[in-house]
């Protein structure tokens, strides 16, 4: 019995020593830092590698990842300054730079950063109109990172980047924009057709004006040519009427010939005194 009791005590002591050593030795993985509390109060931070703590007094209260943390910000509806509803979401890359502030400065730093990004994003987009918000992704991203950087420092965090994953109108807004775009295209088509009709009318009027000007110029030139011909004939004939009568008779006879040569000429009306007129013309010509 004494030997069994001694063995049990030795075994208990051995177990106690092993447990004590196990509680006193802490191996922290690379990329992590552990917060140690002694009797409920912050005592120190364990860096990556082998660390020794006092068993039963020291306790690893928090294990923090010091690598870059990816925070996915859920999609939300945002109302712009011109009362348009758009859908937007984001993604943030943060890093724990001060583990003590990260665990004692706020309850849940990941949720805090996520909510801050959502509220700040609503505020920034709410100051913009729809077209500006849809085309200013880089501007929104820069303002968003700048707005949350100071608060993140107080929580022992560094905001490395904030990216806008998607920013788009809601389904109702998309339908309204499609209708507006269709109406705008129709308006432009009507304007283009009207401009085309206007230009065609202007060109047609200019063509008529140019044609009228040319007709007028042609008539003036013809009249001037006729006047010049008359002046020359008058100068050549002088006061003698014989040549003039001969010329008129010749033209008269030529006109009658042309009338008779036409296919649809059934009856040619001649003056009753045609022979006398011709004889008179030839008589005068013979007299000359």
């Amino acid at each position: 019995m004494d030997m069994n009791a001694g063995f049990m005590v030795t075994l208990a002591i051995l177990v106690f020593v092993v447990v004590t050593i196990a509680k006193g030795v802490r191996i922290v993985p690379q990329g992590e830092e552990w917060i140690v509390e002694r009797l409920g109060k912050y005592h120190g931070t364990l860096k990556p590698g082998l660390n020794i703590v006092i068993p039963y007094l020291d306790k690893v209260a928090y294990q923090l990842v010091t690598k870059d943390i990816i925070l996915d910000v859920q999609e939300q509806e945002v109302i712009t300054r011109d009362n348009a509803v758009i859908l937007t979401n984001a993604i943030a890359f943060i890093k724990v730079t001060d583990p003590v502030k990260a665990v004692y400065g706020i309850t849940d730093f990941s949720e805090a950063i996520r909510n801050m990004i959502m509220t700040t994003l609503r505020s920034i987009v709410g100051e913009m109109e729809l077209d500006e918000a849809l085309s200013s992704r880089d501007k929104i991203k820069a303002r968003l990172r700048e707005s949350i950087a100071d608060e993140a420092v107080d929580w022992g965090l560094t905001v490395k980047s904030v990216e806008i994953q998607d920013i788009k109108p809601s389904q109702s807004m998309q339908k309204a924009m499609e209708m507006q775009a269709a109406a705008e295209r129709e308006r432009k088509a009507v304007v283009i057709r009207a401009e085309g009709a206007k230009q065609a009318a202007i060109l047609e009027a200019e063509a008529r004006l140019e044609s009228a000007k040319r007709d007028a110029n042609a008539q003036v030139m013809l009249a001037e040519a006729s006047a010049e011909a008359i002046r020359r004939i008058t100068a050549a004939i002088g006061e003698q009427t014989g040549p003039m009568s001969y010329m008129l008779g010749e033209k008269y006879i030529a006109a009658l010939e042309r009338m008779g040569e036409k296919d649809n000429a059934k009856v040619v009306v001649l003056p009753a005194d045609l022979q006398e007129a011709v004889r008179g013309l030839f008589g005068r010509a013979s007299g000359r």
Side-chain angles (χ1 to χ4, degrees), residues 87-102:
L87 302 176
T88 179
N89 59 353
I91 186 170
F93 299 89
I94 65 173
K95 183 179 180 65
V96 177
T97 54
D98 190 338
V100 178
K101 290 183 178 180

Side-chain angles (χ1 to χ4, degrees), residues 81 127-137 139-140:
R81 186 171 60 185
E127 298 175 356
M128 299 180 176
E129 294 187 355
L130 176 61
D131 294 339
E132 182 183 4
L134 295 178
S135 61
S136 304
R137 183 177 299 225
K139 180 180 178 181
I140 296 173

Side-chain angles (χ1 to χ4, degrees), residues 216-232:
N217 291 333
Q219 292 178 4
V220 171
M221 293 176 65
L222 182 61
E224 290 178 352
S226 299
E228 181 64 22
I230 292 173
R231 282 195 298 270
R232 291 188 180 186

Side-chain angles (χ1 to χ4, degrees), residues 87-212:
L87 302 176
T88 179
N89 59 353
I91 186 170
F93 299 89
I94 65 173
K95 183 179 180 65
V96 177
T97 54
D98 190 338
V100 178
K101 290 183 178 180
V103 297
Y104 295 113
I106 193 167
T107 303
D108 187 346
F109 64 84
S110 297
E111 189 65 21
I113 291 293
R114 187 178 290 109
N115 289 330
M116 180 174 290
I117 290 175
M118 293 178 65
T119 56
T120 306
L121 188 58
R122 286 198 298 268
S123 177
I124 293 174
V125 175
E127 298 175 356
M128 299 180 176
E129 294 187 355
L130 176 61
D131 294 339
E132 182 183 4
L134 295 178
S135 61
S136 304
R137 183 177 299 225
D138 292 338
K139 180 180 178 181
I140 296 173
K141 180 179 70 174
R143 289 187 58 187
L144 186 59
R145 183 180 180 278
E146 181 181 355
S147 299
I148 67 176
D150 294 338
E151 292 292 339
V153 170
D154 293 338
W155 297 335
L157 306 172
T158 298
V159 180
K160 305 190 72 173
S161 178
V162 179
E163 299 293 335
I164 304 298
Q165 287 185 296
D166 198 8
I167 180 168
K168 60 184 179 180
S170 62
Q171 293 184 353
S172 59
M173 283 301 303
Q174 288 181 2
K175 292 181 180 179
M177 291 175 66
E178 290 175 358
M179 294 176 62
Q180 181 180 1
E184 182 65 19
R185 287 193 296 269
E186 181 64 24
R187 185 190 67 81
K188 290 183 178 179
V190 172
V191 171
I192 292 174
R193 288 195 295 268
E195 288 291 334
K198 176 182 176 182
Q199 292 297 325
I202 291 175
L203 292 176
E204 185 178 356
E206 291 179 351
R208 290 198 302 270
L209 177 61
E210 184 66 20
S211 177

Side-chain angles (χ1 to χ4, degrees), residues 21-37:
I21 294 174
K23 286 183 173 291
V25 177
R26 290 289 186 268
I27 299 177
V28 180
Q30 186 67 37
E32 294 184 8
E33 292 186 9
W34 294 0
I35 301 297
V36 176
E37 293 180 352

